[in-house]
Amino acid sequence: GDGFNLEESVCDQDDGEYNKWHPETLAFLHKLSPLQREIALMLANRYEREEICEILHITTKTYDNSFKRICRNRYINSIKNL
């Protein structure tokens, strides 16, 4: 990653920052578990699988399971075409 923390930009700012995100994207992120959300945000910031596992202190199996659940989430179709 490049040091930019997307989650801080989205989650820790005032409501005005949320206006920069498409409503369907926000809805999708809020439907994920905290770990899945963190992984999705890190992927959006171009972190690699190994980096994510190291930073989050998770196994590759945990990553793989979370990634599969993110991709299978029924809400992902709402953001695929944005």
Side-chain angles (χ1 to χ4, degrees), residues 16-30:
E17 291 296 317
Y18 281 99
N19 292 334
K20 295 179 183 177
W21 288 77
H22 199 282
E24 281 85 2
T25 302
L26 288 172
F28 171 75
L29 289 172
H30 288 291

Side-chain angles (χ1 to χ4, degrees), residues 45-60:
N45 279 300
R46 304 193 191 287
Y47 282 86
E48 298 292 328
R49 176 182 181 226
E50 294 76 22
E51 291 177 292
I52 293 170
C53 291
E54 183 179 329
I55 291 167
L56 298 180
H57 307 288
I58 60 174
T59 65
T60 54

